[in-house]
Amino acid sequence: AAVNNNQRTGSYCAVNKGTSTSGAGLEQTVNGILPNTNYTLTAYVKSQNGETCYFGASGINQWGGNVQKTCSSTDYTLY
């Protein structure tokens, strides 16, 4: 969901209140991805209560699989 509180900068931020067992998440489709090209995925991520959260990319199996980072900081951290 997009909310207008608790954002790092700007007017809105995305919030995911799912659990690790619910499979909940946020999704963005990126078009024009080419093979043999390097891309950098970055985001500011934080955990509401210090619980483990995950940030990553999926659906890129044909170019090396999924990428996932674990986060648990209650402060915004750049990944």
Side-chain angles (χ1 to χ4, degrees), residues 39-59:
Y39 295 92
T40 302
L41 175 64
T42 60
Y44 281 93
V45 179
K46 78 174 195 172
S47 171
Q48 183 174 356
N49 299 314
E51 297 175 6
T52 300
C53 59
Y54 303 94
F55 160 73
S58 62

Side-chain angles (χ1 to χ4, degrees), residues 29-35 37 39 63:
T29 299
V30 179
N31 296 311
I33 302 296
L34 302 172
T37 304
Y39 295 92
W63 296 305

Side-chain angles (χ1 to χ4, degrees), residues 2-77:
V3 297
N4 64 352
N5 60 12
N6 205 19
Q7 62 269 25
R8 182 181 167 273
T9 61
S11 300
Y12 296 92
C13 67
V15 175
N16 177 18
K17 294 189 177 183
T19 65
S20 60
T21 58
S22 72
L26 304 168
E27 181 178 304
Q28 179 180 7
T29 299
V30 179
N31 296 311
I33 302 296
L34 302 172
N36 303 314
T37 304
N38 292 324
Y39 295 92
T40 302
L41 175 64
T42 60
Y44 281 93
V45 179
K46 78 174 195 172
S47 171
Q48 183 174 356
N49 299 314
E51 297 175 6
T52 300
C53 59
Y54 303 94
F55 160 73
S58 62
I60 55 175
N61 293 332
Q62 64 199 54
W63 296 305
N66 298 330
V67 178
Q68 180 173 287
K69 293 282 188 180
T70 302
C71 56
S72 60
S73 174
T74 56
D75 295 320
Y76 279 106
T77 304

